Amino acid sequence: MTGIAAGLFSVALPAGSVVTQPTPSVRSVLAALMLAIFLGALDQTIVAVSMPAISAQFNDVNLLAWVISGYMVAMTVAVPIYGKLGDLYGRRPMMLIGMGLFTIASLFCGMAQSMEQLVLARILQGIGAGGMISVSQAIIGDIIPPRERGRYQGYFSSMYAVASVAGPVLGGYMTEYLSWSWVFLINLPLGAGAWWVAHRTLVGLPVPQRKPIIDYLGTLLMIVGLTALLLGITEIGQGHHWRDDQVLGLLGCALVALSVFVWHERRAREPLLPMHLFANRSAVLCWCTIFFTSFQAISLIVLMPLRYQSVTGAGADSAALHLLPLAIGLPMGAFFAGRMTSVTGRYKPMILTGAVLTPIAILGMAFSAPQSLILSSLFMVLSGIASGMQFPTSLVGTQNSVAQHDIGVATSTTNLFRSLGGAVGVACMSALLLALLQDSSFAHLASGSMMAEGSSGNVLLDGLNAAPGPAQDALRAELLSTFRHLLMVSAAVSLLGLAAAIVMPNHLLRGREDKAR
């Protein structure tokens, strides 16, 4: 191992930790972590295109949406738990447990004989993925000084971008030429390989020496509260009114459970989520920023292909490729922001620049026709760059603002706000789209069930294609106007993220004092 790598690893080891094995190189650790991030992110997108085949085999549409939603809910709830357990027991065992559970659950998904079995296996898979994603980013917080973390977190952001494009392409190919089961079975060799690489490389990480104290009541309250909240949000996004008894029951349960959770955490000896973190202004504003960034990015990933298909009449394959400029912009923004953060030692300028670009890019997409590929792609690239500049730098800012022994829980809380932002974004934008359609001549085609299959929009497109030629052209023009209003609302929401970035303290990152080379 080079002296530089050794220096990087020796800087960030927290007090009270010991290293019992030789320290690995940065590159080998980075390879293991990037593979874990890619696997967890890939399964958020690869399954969507196989949904019709799954529905056809099991002849069950009632639980179809939960093949995706169950994974997302489980992953979001698991993230903060893994973060705290990593602080108590060390990152390496938590990473190996998460990878192992993800791989085994993938086998169960591929072998499922009913929709109920598949949903249950997907929930287990989401629990494993939550560990891989959360612990991976916390490990970077352990071994890399804050001033250098932007570059490495930028690499992680590129994995999300690659997965967003590779997922639909791989999923479509395997479903068409093999079977929908291979969408999950492909994780077996990849997951086993990632586990082996992690087992070999993630040695020498900090091992906590304090006696672990598990906050069982806090864990239970958080699981109940977050699960109820996410289920309620998902129901709204799938077309249920927020005043429906089922939705109100879930949101009420979430309010009660999370309120008791906050009360308990303020008194717990070893809280699952230390409340003092929410008194940290820098951390809270970074969480607000990443929440609204995820709100925009994930809702655009879901809705822009639907806009492209409905307005232009293109197929699902073209719609997936329509996201390519957005996916290209993400790693570009992340790489640039990470590099500049390392050079200047400050993360606020990059976050603020991305927050300014976001509403500009979204408004540009609103007023550019999907048929205008060059102009539309330009604004999508700009939107990707804006998101890429904020995702890794917000995480770096959070890690820089907390004590080393809180790195794990602070990182997992950042990922929690990122997941919540995406869930709220998709739910709000989908519900708003439904509301706009209800007031249009398109209402008889949407009939309140357009988003019933995990926001796929199949009912909308089928009804549109069934309309006669002249009527279809009129409906497409009306949809273009509807999506324009939707994007204008999205741009307005992004101003909240800009406000958080403006009032964010402009702190200097800890670590290297010289300029990055």
Side-chain angles (χ1 to χ4, degrees):
M1 184 181 66
T2 65
I4 295 176
L8 285 176
F9 272 75
S10 63
V11 168
L13 298 184
S17 301
V18 297
V19 175
T20 58
Q21 303 183 52
T23 307
S25 70
V26 173
R27 288 184 178 180
S28 61
V29 171
L30 185 63
L33 301 184
M34 288 178 68
L35 185 54
I37 289 285
F38 178 76
L39 283 175
L42 183 68
D43 259 62
Q44 298 179 38
T45 58
I46 195 173
V47 179
V49 293
S50 65
M51 298 288 272
I54 294 173
S55 177
Q57 175 164 335
F58 294 136
N59 194 25
D60 185 352
V61 297
N62 293 326
L63 293 176
L64 187 62
W66 296 106
V67 175
I68 293 179
S69 299
Y71 178 88
M72 297 297 294
V73 170
M75 182 176 67
T76 303
V77 173
V79 158
I81 297 175
Y82 275 103
K84 185 61 178 182
L85 292 178
D87 286 338
L88 294 177
Y89 293 98
R91 316 277 184 236
R92 184 172 181 265
M94 293 300 105
M95 173 64 84
L96 295 178
I97 290 173
M99 282 184 169
L101 182 58
F102 176 85
T103 305
I104 294 173
S106 297
L107 175 62
F108 292 158
C109 288
M111 297 175 60
Q113 300 299 309
S114 68
M115 191 67 78
E116 290 80 3
Q117 292 179 10
L118 180 58
V119 171
L120 179 59
R122 283 286 284 170
I123 291 173
L124 293 176
Q125 194 183 35
I127 294 173
M132 293 194 302
I133 292 175
S134 175
V135 178
S136 293
Q137 294 175 333
I139 289 174
I140 291 296
D142 278 336
I143 65 179
I144 303 296
R147 182 121 178 204
E148 300 290 338
R149 287 176 197 159
R151 288 190 297 157
Y152 293 91
Q153 299 294 356
Y155 299 149
F156 286 178
S157 294
S158 69
M159 290 295 98
Y160 282 102
V162 171
S164 68
V165 175
V169 175
L170 288 175
Y173 179 85
M174 287 185 289
T175 301
E176 179 72 21
Y177 296 102
L178 297 173
S179 165
W180 65 263
S181 298
W182 283 97
V183 170
F184 303 106
L185 296 179
I186 189 64
N187 289 328
L188 297 183
L190 294 176
W195 191 95
W196 183 82
V197 172
H199 178 74
R200 293 290 301 271
T201 60
L202 298 184
V203 293
L205 294 178
V207 180
Q209 295 302 291
R210 53 178 173 164
K211 182 180 179 181
I213 301 175
I214 306 298
D215 181 13
Y216 293 104
L217 179 58
T219 301
L220 177 62
L221 289 169
M222 192 195 68
I223 290 175
V224 172
L226 284 181
T227 301
L229 176 63
L230 290 168
L231 290 178
I233 292 172
T234 303
E235 292 284 337
I236 294 173
Q238 291 172 3
H240 294 81
H241 197 280
W242 70 270
R243 287 181 294 186
D244 288 355
D245 290 341
Q246 182 177 355
V247 175
L248 285 177
L250 288 170
L251 296 180
C253 177
L255 178 62
V256 172
L258 292 178
S259 297
V260 177
F261 171 75
V262 171
W263 176 85
H264 170 74
E265 292 299 281
R266 294 172 65 90
R267 292 158 177 77
R269 179 180 175 188
E270 185 68 54
L272 177 67
L273 182 57
M275 289 295 106
H276 70 262
L277 293 179
F278 290 91
N280 187 318
R281 185 184 175 204
S282 294
V284 170
L285 289 172
C286 284
W287 293 335
C288 291
T289 299
I290 207 165
F291 176 90
F292 288 109
T293 304
S294 184
F295 183 106
Q296 307 302 327
I298 304 303
S299 60
L300 289 176
I301 288 173
V302 171
L303 294 176
M304 291 306 287
L306 178 58
R307 173 181 183 252
Y308 184 71
Q309 285 181 273
S310 61
V311 174
T312 67
D317 52 349
S318 299
L321 293 177
H322 187 60
L323 285 176
L324 189 59
L326 182 65
I328 291 174
L330 274 166
M332 290 172 58
F335 178 82
F336 174 77
R339 193 66 182 172
M340 292 304 297
T341 299
S342 179
V343 169
T344 64
R346 297 186 184 275
Y347 54 89
K348 177 179 177 176
M350 295 297 100
I351 295 176
L352 184 58
T353 302
V356 170
L357 290 177
T358 298
I360 297 174
I362 295 176
L363 285 176
M365 285 187 282
F367 289 95
S368 61
Q371 298 91 332
S372 179
L373 294 179
I374 295 178
L375 192 59
S376 178
S377 297
L378 175 63
F379 286 114
M380 290 188 72
V381 169
L382 187 62
S383 177
I385 291 174
S387 297
M389 293 181 73
Q390 296 176 81
F391 277 131
T393 44
S394 295
L395 178 57
V396 170
T398 300
Q399 292 178 337
N400 182 73
S401 63
V402 302
Q404 188 68 36
H405 61 80
D406 285 328
I407 283 286
V409 68
T411 301
S412 64
T413 304
T414 305
N415 285 311
L416 174 62
F417 275 89
R418 179 173 180 160
S419 297
L420 288 175
V424 173
V426 171
C428 289
M429 291 296 102
S430 299
L432 179 58
L433 179 58
L434 284 170
L436 292 173
L437 289 173
Q438 292 300 319
D439 296 330
S440 69
S441 59
F442 207 86
H444 68 284
L445 294 176
S447 66
S449 61
M450 182 189 65
M451 296 295 172
E453 296 187 4
S455 300
S456 65
N458 288 337
V459 177
L460 169 64
L461 298 174
D462 291 344
L464 180 62
N465 293 330
Q472 188 177 105
D473 293 338
L475 288 172
R476 292 191 190 281
E478 189 171 356
L479 278 172
L480 179 60
S481 176
T482 298
F483 275 104
R484 178 176 294 131
H485 291 124
L486 188 70
L487 289 171
M488 291 173 66
V489 172
S490 179
V493 173
S494 70
L495 296 178
L496 297 175
L498 176 59
I502 290 175
V503 299
M504 183 180 297
N506 190 21
H507 290 160
L508 187 68
L509 291 169
R510 302 189 304 265
R512 209 164 43 91
E513 296 299 329
D514 58 313
K515 300 291 185 182
R517 298 176 181 176

